[in-house]
Amino acid sequence: MKLYFVRIDPVQEIAAERATLDLLRDVLRGQAAEPPAAPELLTAAQTLGWPLVYDDSIAPGIVLCRPAPGAEPMPTAEEIEQCLRAFMSPRRSDG
């Protein structure tokens, strides 16, 4: 089976139908599964602790790296810009 990864930022969980997710778990554990996992996927899954969840509504062979249901939406470009401006502005001392 070929695995196709679809990334939807911000990634907070990895979801796939049961057989696909079971194969992915074997790949991530380093079992004798083909193909070997891409190094960046292994690193992300191991260090970020993304949960692996079954979702039988996903077609076999498709793995979704997606936000968790109910997660906060990503900040808009304007919100990010305002935050950076506030962070970068020099502090004033009134006395």
Side-chain angles (χ1 to χ4, degrees), residues 29-44:
R29 283 189 201 114
Q31 303 293 325
E34 290 292 331
E40 59 274 7
L41 175 66
L42 278 173
T43 300

Side-chain angles (χ1 to χ4, degrees), residues 9-47:
D9 286 324
V11 175
Q12 296 170 321
E13 70 178 12
I14 297 174
E17 63 87 33
R18 292 181 183 279
T20 302
L21 192 59
D22 290 342
L23 174 61
L24 178 62
R25 286 177 199 264
D26 287 345
V27 169
L28 293 175
R29 283 189 201 114
Q31 303 293 325
E34 290 292 331
E40 59 274 7
L41 175 66
L42 278 173
T43 300
Q46 292 168 352
T47 60

